[in-house]
Amino acid sequence: MGERTIEYSRKQIEELEAQAKIYRAKGLAWMKVNADSGLEGGVSKFFASQAADIIKGLGAAPGDLILIVADGKKDIANTAIGAVRSKLGRDLGFCDPNKFEFVWIIDFPLFEYNEEHKRWQASHHMFSFPQEQYHDILETDPGAVKGDLYDLVLNGFELASGSIRIHDPDLQKRIFKVVGFDPAEAEAKFGFLTEAFKYGPPPHGGIAPGLDRLVMIMAGETSIKEVIAFPKNSFAVGPMDDSPNIVSPEQLKELHLIIKEPSTEKNDP
């Protein structure tokens, strides 16, 4: 673990595994570097012939703990091991709450593949501008396309997120096609937008900052519930205003809404 060697017990490793599983990892593999510059414990027997290369590649030293998450979906593996890394940073005192470390995250993938529906979908939304060097491969290699998207992160917390928007009608229609958005439905829902683009809007973008999260970090808290005015509890109930609550028939009528109670009859549709 870098410059600081700490002996982790099996119980502590299981706590790290539990953290990984929260983020849909199936488990957390581990092994330790022993005094003879070999690997021991956990899954080390599967890597015995590669031990020297692994230790050299990771810059590991005797006493270091190596943690591994593998998954068929890269996003799950990255997110899970990232959560484990953050927990280690907190547990080992590597995160100084009195220091503000900002970083811009850029070059996000524009598309991600939906295995369930067997199609590409927008990683952020369908109106994010693809970086110009990828315009020629939008249809042929969507997975390689990066968007003009950006996040501002402070001490591991996302503070703001945004993107440059598409302002060209033909490019917007190409994006609709890549994600399998039916042309007729696209025209019905967003025809006003592509029509407006024909009049030459300038390149534009936006960003949405989370001021409550910034205040949370400045206050040394780990949950925005501690700093927002009317927080909800774990049951999504607002204890200060008793929301959600019963809505009167008159209010429902004004909004043209009907509440249909679940049927108690087995054969009632």
Side-chain angles (χ1 to χ4, degrees):
M1 300 307 303
E3 299 177 357
R4 183 171 175 175
T5 300
I6 292 179
E7 185 66 25
Y8 256 66
S9 67
R10 185 58 189 266
K11 181 177 182 296
Q12 289 173 305
I13 294 174
E14 288 175 353
E15 291 175 354
L16 295 175
E17 182 177 20
Q19 181 76 0
K21 287 183 175 180
I22 291 174
Y23 295 90
R24 298 190 293 161
K26 295 179 179 64
L28 179 71
W30 64 274
M31 47 192 175
K32 295 180 180 180
V33 183
N34 61 33
D36 299 322
S37 295
L39 298 174
E40 63 183 17
V43 297
S44 60
K45 64 180 181 180
F46 300 106
F47 299 96
S49 63
Q50 302 166 287
D53 291 336
I54 291 173
I55 292 170
K56 181 180 178 181
L58 295 177
D64 280 358
L65 175 67
I66 299 172
L67 302 172
I68 306 167
V69 169
D71 195 278
K73 296 182 179 180
K74 182 172 66 174
D75 288 347
I76 291 179
N78 287 343
T79 302
I81 200 67
V84 170
R85 180 176 178 272
S86 295
K87 176 174 171 55
L88 285 168
R90 294 190 299 270
D91 292 350
L92 299 175
F94 293 151
C95 303
D96 185 348
N98 296 315
K99 290 181 64 176
F100 294 133
E101 301 287 352
F102 290 88
V103 62
W104 282 101
I105 309 298
I106 59 173
D107 293 335
F108 287 94
L110 191 65
F111 303 107
E112 59 188 28
Y113 192 71
N114 187 313
E115 292 287 349
E116 181 180 353
H117 296 99
K118 305 298 180 186
R119 64 176 178 82
W120 291 98
Q121 63 187 26
S123 297
H124 190 57
H125 57 62
M126 295 185 294
F127 312 102
S128 295
F129 194 84
Q131 295 180 15
E132 291 189 6
Q133 64 266 35
Y134 300 103
H135 286 195
D136 291 340
I137 63 168
L138 278 178
E139 292 84 1
T140 57
D141 192 7
V145 178
K146 291 183 172 63
D148 271 334
L149 300 109
Y150 35 83
D151 281 4
L152 178 61
V153 176
L154 171 60
N155 293 5
F157 292 97
E158 180 186 312
L159 282 189
S161 181
S163 68
I164 300 300
R165 305 292 197 264
I166 294 172
H167 56 278
D168 177 88
D170 293 331
L171 181 58
Q172 184 65 73
K173 289 176 181 178
R174 289 175 65 190
I175 299 295
F176 287 156
K177 185 176 180 181
V178 171
V179 299
F181 207 52
D182 181 74
E185 185 180 2
E187 178 64 27
K189 290 186 175 180
F190 303 111
F192 72 93
L193 185 64
T194 52
E195 179 65 24
F197 284 165
K198 296 177 183 178
Y199 296 91
H204 56 284
I207 190 166
L211 294 179
D212 48 3
R213 199 169 297 276
L214 177 60
V215 173
M216 176 197 79
I217 296 171
M218 294 173 66
E221 301 291 347
T222 58
S223 171
I224 59 173
K225 290 181 180 180
E226 301 299 330
V227 299
I228 60 178
F230 301 101
K232 302 289 190 294
N233 61 23
S234 57
F235 299 100
V237 173
M240 299 184 70
D241 55 9
D242 292 326
S243 66
N245 209 326
I246 302 298
V247 179
S248 70
E250 290 77 13
Q251 290 173 304
L252 290 174
K253 186 176 180 180
E254 288 177 3
L255 298 172
H256 304 284
L257 295 176
I258 296 175
I259 295 180
K260 185 176 181 181
E261 298 291 345
S263 174
T264 56
E265 297 294 334
K266 285 186 177 181
N267 297 325
D268 192 0

